[in-house]
Amino acid sequence: MKWAIVLCAVVALSECIIQVPLIKGKSARESLEEQGLWNEYKGKFPFNPTRFDDQSLYVSNEQMTNDADLAYFGVISIGTPPQSFTVIFDTGSSNLWIPSVYCSSAACANHKRFNPSLSSTFKNAGKSLSIQYGTGSMTGFEGFDTVVVGGIPVKNQIFGLSQSEAPFMAHMKADGILGLAYPRLAASQATPVFDNMMTQHLVNQDMFSVYLTRNSAVGSMVTFGGVDTNHYSGQIAWIPLSSQMYWQITVDSVTVNGQIVACNGGCQAIVDTGTSNIVGPQADISSMARAVGAHSANGDNVVNCNNINNMPSMVFHIHGQAFTLPASTYVRQVCVCLCVCVCVCLW
């Protein structure tokens, strides 16, 4: 059984702390919903997490990221002189890639594109690259160059230069993706950026942390080399990994009003900053929806917006600890064509 869940993650993985501010923009899903086009697009480019629900998960290089929900992005630069790009810092994938000037796809036309001929430090790796995401893919080739993250240069970093991108990626706000999962997940055995940060002793501690705001466009942060104590109170709950490919953990159960509604007997979960949704097997998702009073409509689990304050909390039991989500955190308001609004559960 395979899940993808989102938590405010502190991931333990050596001379300073690097912070990159993140901006919360509209996801492709939200932009399409406002235009009344989401139902059409999700039919053309369905996100099918069930393909991860088998043993090949542990040996494949499939990226769990659902590019329809990517919303938090920060700025990096690549090359000499530097060329700047916005990227998603994604714990559900491992590769760094950005559009290139050799890409003619519509998705590249409305994003910044890297020009390797303008960088004196670029080296072609001589390898092709293909990455499959939740609703589309990118293909291209790999190169090496200096990547600057939070003002710190990561030398000789391998990255992908896209030559084609799926149509859905035209609706992404960010230019590319910077993967933060383990090297085992990386396409073409590329070394992830954070692994090179550790190898080149660029961080004070071998850890990074992610703080995501819910409603504010600013304030989110990814911190390399430590944890920003301004973003939490109390003690950090350290959860052991059950597999080192994704940031994979064991969830003991999910309860509503003290009753188990999902993950009965335990299940595997992925801590994934690349989606804002809770994704899981249909039977468990339906059980969760019924427990909070949601009903299915056009593939979504919908509730009455006026009932949010009266809806029960959902509790994730992980490593003997209870993580409680009030209804306000697992429901979002969706406005279609900016006039008709409904409230949808985030799964």
Side-chain angles (χ1 to χ4, degrees):
M1 182 181 294
K2 178 53 56 181
W3 285 66
I5 67 173
V6 176
L7 302 175
C8 180
V10 177
V11 185
L13 278 178
S14 307
E15 297 313 349
C16 65
I17 292 178
I18 304 167
Q19 290 194 307
V20 181
L22 303 180
I23 298 170
K24 183 181 185 298
K26 289 180 181 177
S27 67
R29 178 199 296 260
E30 290 169 329
S31 296
L32 290 167
E33 284 172 340
E34 288 185 353
Q35 301 171 58
L37 298 174
W38 171 242
N39 286 334
E40 175 186 347
Y41 266 77
K42 74 178 180 181
K44 290 181 179 178
F45 310 103
F47 175 58
N48 181 18
T50 58
R51 74 168 185 269
F52 300 97
D53 194 18
D54 58 47
Q55 292 303 308
S56 66
L57 169 73
Y58 302 100
V59 295
S60 71
N61 62 358
E62 293 282 357
Q63 316 298 312
M64 194 63 189
T65 297
N66 182 359
D67 38 328
D69 292 307
L70 299 176
Y72 297 86
F73 51 85
V75 178
I76 65 169
S77 65
I78 303 176
T80 308
Q83 300 175 45
S84 296
F85 300 90
T86 56
V87 295
I88 302 294
F89 289 86
D90 176 30
T91 60
S93 65
S94 295
N95 290 79
L96 166 62
W97 67 266
I98 40 87
S100 79
V101 293
Y102 306 112
C103 178
S104 58
S105 300
C108 295
N110 64 353
H111 288 99
K112 292 182 180 179
R113 292 180 286 180
F114 181 74
N115 189 339
S117 67
L118 298 181
S119 174
S120 62
T121 47
F122 176 80
K123 293 181 291 184
N124 193 319
K127 297 173 64 177
S128 61
L129 178 67
S130 177
I131 304 177
Q132 180 70 40
Y133 289 99
T135 58
S137 62
M138 66 77 67
T139 61
F141 65 99
E142 292 181 311
F144 295 91
D145 212 328
T146 298
V147 175
V148 177
V149 180
I152 304 299
V154 183
K155 301 292 183 63
N156 206 35
Q157 174 63 49
I158 192 168
F159 68 103
L161 296 83
S162 73
Q163 293 173 297
S164 69
E165 296 180 21
F168 197 91
M169 292 183 172
H171 299 278
M172 287 173 50
K173 294 296 183 182
D175 301 311
I177 295 177
L178 190 155
L180 292 171
Y182 277 86
R184 283 180 57 202
L185 185 60
S188 73
Q189 292 78 54
T191 302
V193 172
F194 187 63
D195 287 77
N196 274 332
M197 284 184 170
M198 293 187 289
T199 300
Q200 296 177 27
H201 304 293
L202 300 177
V203 288
N204 189 46
Q205 300 179 73
D206 291 345
M207 66 167 60
F208 67 86
S209 56
V210 182
Y211 174 74
L212 302 178
T213 58
R214 176 167 171 79
N215 296 313
S216 176
V218 297
S220 298
M221 187 79 66
V222 57
T223 301
F224 297 98
V227 182
D228 190 335
T229 57
N230 293 315
H231 290 147
Y232 72 94
S233 59
Q235 299 297 311
I236 292 176
W238 296 98
I239 309 299
L241 298 179
S242 55
S243 176
Q244 294 184 1
M245 188 164 86
Y246 300 101
W247 294 103
Q248 184 173 323
I249 60 175
T250 298
V251 175
D252 304 320
S253 65
V254 181
T255 63
V256 174
N257 292 326
Q259 301 297 312
I260 295 177
V261 297
C263 213
N264 194 357
C267 64
Q268 293 300 293
I270 295 166
V271 183
D272 184 6
T273 58
T275 178
S276 296
N277 283 359
I278 299 171
V279 181
Q282 184 59 55
D284 284 320
I285 294 299
S286 297
S287 176
M288 292 163 63
R290 288 192 300 269
V292 300
H295 67 275
S296 180
N298 295 320
D300 291 316
N301 292 300
V302 180
V303 298
N304 187 324
C305 296
N306 295 325
N307 292 342
I308 293 177
N309 291 336
N310 299 320
M311 290 172 60
S313 295
M314 185 168 294
V315 183
F316 286 79
H317 301 269
I318 304 173
H319 196 54
Q321 301 190 63
F323 297 88
T324 302
L325 302 182
S328 60
T329 64
Y330 64 74
V331 175
R332 68 184 179 94
Q333 183 169 284
V334 176
C335 295
V336 180
C337 298
L338 298 178
C339 55
V340 180
C341 296
V342 297
C343 284
V344 178
C345 294
L346 292 174
W347 58 75

